[in-house]
Amino acid sequence: MKTYDSPPRGDPLAPRPCVLCAGTSFKRLWKLEGFSFARCTSCGLIQQNPQPLREAVLARYGEDYLAYEAERQFDYRALELKALADLSFDQLVAPLLDDAKARGRKPRLLDVGCATGALLEHFQGLGWAVTGVEASEAQAIYGRKTYGLDIRASTLEDAKLAAASFDLVHASQLIEHLNDPGAFLLETRRLLGPGGLLFLATPNADGFQARLLGRRWRSAINDHLYLFSLSTISDLLDECGFEILATATWGGWAQGLKPGFIKPSLDRWAKARGRGDVMAIAARPRTAGRGGTNA
Ligand SMILES: [Zn+2]
């Protein structure tokens, strides 16, 4: 079964240069109902190109998403926490926590695409100062009412948060939905204070399931404008001034796919080889070198 998705609505499509290499030559990869994926012939990034404009993309995230997310919010939070653990989260954030303590303030977390705010609620309970950004207003309102959280109903760019105002930015299953993932990464870099960390999770287009299933892969959906591999996301992070600290992938065989008995061994194999279905990445702004300084 595919991931939750908005059905294509015949939105006008516009071609755009490749977000990673600015190339304009694409080879059709998968044709689906009302949309298709292409591969950039220069850098290999898989993308919808042409793709719907920003306004049409934003209009997708309404009430329907709330019902879907609210029902699964604790399952998703458990997966997000597992991903963070796989990236050795506790070790990576230890210096940030020490620094915040020395300054007599709470460590500051921003969750972009925070949905109902379940992850923020968890970190708030651990003593973090938490802020959420969520394009779906219905979900932002749910999180404010249910958990008393500070959630901005906005895109990250439109939220206009102060520079260097966060120690940690988290964005799970978000970057593949954005028209301009490069602009998003540059904005997160602006928001991170010295020593700040970025944690991302996104489908792995180089994973076992993507390679096996092709256009039937559960993440080959209308709402995903980009499908990254570890190689293409690493290149984009590098271009936007980040260095990668840790990566992990997981999920070898989809839940419910037959035969089910091979799932445990395939899951282990995929994880060991970096061929898992979803990948998570920890990165930090580079302080010097290509992509400029973190000034
Ligand atoms: Zn490209």
Side-chain angles (χ1 to χ4, degrees), residues 152-173:
R152 321 287 170 92
S154 163
T155 65
L156 181 62
E157 290 84 350
D158 291 344
K160 304 211 181 311
L161 298 161
S165 56
F166 294 96
D167 302 303
L168 198 160
V169 175
H170 176 264
S172 181
Q173 310 290 352

Side-chain angles (χ1 to χ4, degrees), residues 17-26 39-45 47 232:
C18 173
V19 72
L20 177 53
C21 73
T24 52
S25 163
F26 301 93
R39 192 190 290 277
C40 172
T41 59
S42 310
C43 73
L45 175 60
Q47 53 200 281
T232 53

